[in-house]
Amino acid sequence: MRKARQNGFTLVELMVALAILAVLAAVAVPLYTGYSERTYAAEAQADLLGAAQALERFAAVNFTYEGTADTDADGAGDADAGPLATDLYQPRAAALDRYAFTVTAAAGTFLVTATPQAGPAVELGAMTIDEAGNRRWDRNNDGDFADADEDTWEAK
């Protein structure tokens, strides 16, 4: 007499498959988060460089950096400190609500700051660029740029 063959998986086989998936997830999630953080930081840095170039073009025509902040949210520059005017430059990271871009300007100087707003970028800290091309990054997100290795955007 022949024994009927059963189809399906045993509980042990299912538990082994679940364990393998859990190990893969434990490795993949931190790698993906790190990749996302590096991508967001690079995006903000590119936007800061674009904003600095836009400010230089503005100053080449107007002989000042003043009036490049938009305090009344109409897109046009109307002040010397506040959100970066969108008619001057529209950062991609700002459009995606990852960073907020602000500018502080005077006749011969400016400082553009990218402050993280959402997602993995929040842990990265603010980044800045000024008229001389000096780049700073608050890597430990403590609110200042006085710590070691915070005077560059280079990855550490």
Side-chain angles (χ1 to χ4, degrees):
M1 187 159 147
R2 218 173 203 197
K3 196 173 190 180
R5 187 169 187 209
Q6 292 185 356
N7 294 327
F9 299 104
T10 66
L11 182 60
V12 172
E13 290 170 330
L14 287 174
M15 294 304 287
V16 167
L18 258 166
I20 290 170
L21 285 175
V23 168
L24 288 175
V27 170
V29 169
L31 288 175
Y32 178 75
T33 301
Y35 173 76
S36 295
E37 287 176 352
R38 288 189 306 274
T39 302
Y40 290 170
E43 180 182 48
Q45 291 166 0
D47 282 336
L48 283 168
L49 289 170
Q53 289 174 347
L55 284 160
E56 291 298 341
R57 286 191 301 272
F58 179 86
V61 172
N62 299 297
F63 302 104
T64 184
Y65 299 111
E66 295 172 325
T68 53
D70 177 18
T71 57
D72 60 4
D74 66 353
D78 55 26
D80 300 334
L84 184 65
T86 56
D87 67 350
L88 185 66
Y89 183 75
Q90 285 188 303
R92 176 173 158 66
L96 298 171
D97 290 327
R98 293 182 183 139
Y99 284 84
F101 289 81
T102 57
V103 62
T104 304
T109 64
F110 71 80
L111 180 69
V112 181
T113 304
T115 307
Q117 299 296 304
V122 171
E123 301 299 321
L124 296 178
M127 291 181 255
T128 66
I129 190 167
D130 64 17
E131 77 287 344
N134 297 316
R135 303 166 186 187
R136 298 181 306 164
W137 186 355
D138 183 16
R139 292 179 189 279
N140 60 1
N141 204 10
D142 66 353
D144 66 48
F145 298 94
D147 303 312
D149 296 328
E150 290 189 342
D151 60 350
T152 182
W153 289 347
E154 292 178 15
K156 300 293 177 197

